Amino acid sequence: MNETAKQDEQIRATFRNAEEQGLKIAIQGKVVAILLVVLYLVATRGLIAAPAFLLAGGLFAALGLWHYRIIGSSSDRPWVKYVFLSLDIALLSILVAVGPTDLNYDLPKALIFRFDVFPYYFLFIAVAGFSFSPGLMLWAGIAGSAGWLGAYLHVLAGAANVLQWSDIPNGATREQFLSVFLSPDFLPFGSRVQEALVLITIAALLAVVMRRARNTVFAHLEAEAERRNVNELFGRHVPRAVADLMIAGRGELAPTEREATVLFADVVGFTALTEKLGPAGITDVLNAYFDDAANIIGAEGGIITQFQGDAILAVFNLPAADPEHAARALRAGIALLERVGESTYGGEKIAIRVGINTGNVVAGNVGGGGRENYTVHGDAVNAAARLEALNKDLGTDLIVSASTATRAGEAGLERVGAVELRGQSQLSEVFTRRET
């Protein structure tokens, strides 16, 4: 299974889990609602009707609990929720069609449609809504309408005398209208059809809304999964901050020129160490060291733009702006020196030298042949590399330019003196960390 198929399956699994959890919540709510309704009916309709109400409530609760146990089990299937919803609707419709109108009075069956029975069908739409399933929502409207009309037609077939709206004559007096409208035999077909259409319409509209919501959520999950996959893959090859900005910009990262602080670090005696350890051994050392360096530099908001053999080129204040870039680069450099001083990598002790400089740089994607890399270049970058090399001559492990020291604050630093850097016509003041 390819990555796209796996991603789609994960999203579908997310929706299935949402449907299952939603149905469980809906069933719990339905059982509680049934209990409250039954208690209300028993309290208001008298003890004679209590057994019938308790029996009906028990049947609904039993169906709900049965369905609850099946959800998410090995017996669960996509069609199971439709079956249980249909059973609920069928049970209510049977009670409407053949149940007693009122146990306390001998009333015509047609009067059941004068009581507040129809709103109970909306309970099933509410249950379907928790499933986050447009199909189940639409089915709730269709099955509910069919059950309601089925119950009506059953009562209509058993009625000896039926009055419809057409039995009210044109220009009828108030007394003539009420004589039909208030008659126990008044069982208008049009009113039942209207109720059924309202139920279907509401269910259909909610199904459309739910479908749009599902599509929106699906697209969001798909985008997040794609972003996560690309970030994980892309982040292996370029700094994570660059990957985030490039993904947000759909692969584009505009060239930028601004002041930044550049950190250049190099391993002392790398050639001799390579000869001693061989390719496999030196790779283990570098991988462990680079992992520490990436964490330390990243923690201070910097990004590593290049691993040049044993050297690291990192930049602060790019691609995302950071007003504290000089101070953070200095903290990263000192933290890296301290970490290396107390650690071993691949079983070896190593030493590094660090140069830090602040100045204007140009950053952006460069490359060819379909391959690009995020790089920084300019005199400030070259100066950082030369400062790192200067450590060897001065017997230090950290050299910081005056521009960095000024912006970062010279606390913890001491002046080394004015030195001549290759490529610069004037002497440059440099600093190192103060011995403690």
Side-chain angles (χ1 to χ4, degrees):
M1 183 182 293
N2 58 38
E3 289 301 320
T4 300
K6 288 181 180 178
Q7 175 181 302
D8 290 343
E9 178 56 33
Q10 289 174 350
I11 294 174
R12 284 192 291 270
T14 299
F15 275 105
R16 285 196 299 271
N17 183 66
E19 289 183 4
E20 291 173 0
Q21 296 305 314
L23 278 174
K24 286 185 175 182
I25 293 173
I27 290 171
Q28 292 171 346
K30 184 184 73 172
V31 171
V32 172
I34 289 171
L35 175 62
L36 293 176
V37 169
V38 168
L39 291 177
Y40 171 78
L41 291 175
V42 169
T44 57
R45 303 299 171 86
L47 294 178
I48 295 178
F53 291 135
L54 291 172
L55 176 61
L59 289 174
F60 279 115
L63 283 174
L65 295 176
W66 185 14
H67 187 197
Y68 188 94
R69 296 194 62 179
I70 291 177
I71 293 173
S73 70
S74 59
S75 302
D76 199 5
R77 298 292 184 276
W79 46 265
V80 168
K81 56 181 176 286
Y82 290 88
V83 171
F84 276 96
L85 183 63
S86 300
L87 289 174
D88 276 338
I89 292 173
L91 177 58
L92 177 59
S93 300
I94 290 172
L95 292 175
V96 173
V98 302
T101 304
D102 194 309
L103 294 177
N104 294 310
Y105 308 99
D106 184 17
L107 300 176
K109 185 60 186 175
L111 288 180
I112 191 68
F113 296 97
R114 303 285 186 92
F115 297 154
D116 49 358
V117 175
F118 179 67
Y120 288 114
Y121 283 87
F122 286 96
L123 178 62
F124 305 120
I125 290 182
V127 171
F130 276 86
S131 73
F132 208 50
S133 169
L136 189 64
M137 175 66 73
L138 185 60
W139 178 248
I142 294 173
S145 298
W148 180 243
L149 290 177
Y152 168 76
L153 292 175
H154 182 273
V155 173
L156 184 66
N161 182 36
V162 176
L163 296 177
Q164 300 285 349
W165 286 107
S166 57
D167 292 308
I168 300 176
N170 292 331
T173 64
R174 180 173 181 274
E175 288 72 18
Q176 289 174 322
F177 179 89
L178 292 177
S179 66
V180 175
F181 185 77
L182 298 180
S183 171
D185 297 320
F186 184 59
L187 198 60
F189 176 74
S191 297
R192 305 292 83 75
V193 171
Q194 178 177 291
E195 291 162 344
L197 289 176
V198 167
L199 193 65
I200 290 179
T201 301
I202 291 175
L205 290 174
L206 291 175
V208 171
V209 171
M210 194 170 292
R211 170 59 64 183
R212 293 188 63 185
R214 282 177 66 100
N215 289 341
T216 300
V217 174
F218 189 93
H220 177 73
L221 292 175
E222 195 173 45
E224 284 298 312
E226 186 66 23
R227 178 184 175 85
R228 186 167 56 252
N229 291 339
V230 173
N231 204 318
E232 289 176 356
L233 177 62
F234 197 32
R236 299 174 192 168
H237 306 286
V238 301
R240 183 56 56 93
V242 178
D244 287 338
L245 288 175
M246 290 192 70
I247 291 169
R250 299 183 179 275
E252 298 295 330
L253 200 58
T256 303
E257 180 177 4
R258 72 162 67 128
E259 181 183 82
T261 299
V262 181
L263 181 152
F264 195 88
D266 203 5
V267 176
V268 177
F270 178 71
T271 301
L273 190 62
T274 301
E275 292 175 354
K276 172 187 172 182
L277 299 178
I282 198 63
T283 299
D284 290 340
V285 170
L286 288 179
N287 283 340
Y289 161 58
F290 286 159
D291 189 53
D292 259 358
N295 290 333
I296 291 170
I297 291 169
E300 291 293 347
I303 64 167
I304 297 175
T305 62
Q306 293 181 41
F307 292 104
Q308 301 172 347
D310 63 312
I312 292 173
L313 176 61
V315 63
F316 296 75
N317 203 35
L318 283 167
D322 181 358
E324 303 295 324
H325 56 92
R328 300 187 74 176
L330 180 58
R331 286 200 299 269
I334 294 174
L336 182 56
L337 286 165
E338 292 175 348
R339 178 68 60 83
V340 170
E342 64 189 19
S343 304
T344 59
Y345 300 100
E348 296 290 327
K349 287 290 294 183
I350 66 172
I352 63 171
R353 292 188 285 249
V354 177
I356 302 176
N357 180 49
T358 300
N360 288 333
V361 302
V362 177
N365 288 347
V366 296
R371 298 175 63 86
E372 293 185 348
N373 189 31
Y374 184 79
T375 62
V376 292
H377 53 88
D379 290 340
V381 179
N382 299 331
R386 291 166 187 156
L387 289 172
E388 181 279 320
L390 189 62
N391 281 291
K392 185 175 182 181
D393 298 331
L394 299 177
T396 56
D397 56 12
L398 174 69
I399 291 294
V400 178
S401 70
S403 58
T404 300
T406 299
R407 289 163 179 76
E410 298 181 13
L413 296 176
E414 63 180 29
R415 181 179 177 275
V416 176
V419 298
E420 181 179 353
L421 294 179
R422 183 167 56 87
Q424 294 187 1
S425 59
Q426 297 180 344
L427 295 180
S428 301
E429 293 283 346
V430 295
F431 297 76
T432 189
R433 58 174 173 164
R434 183 176 292 117
E435 294 295 335
T436 56

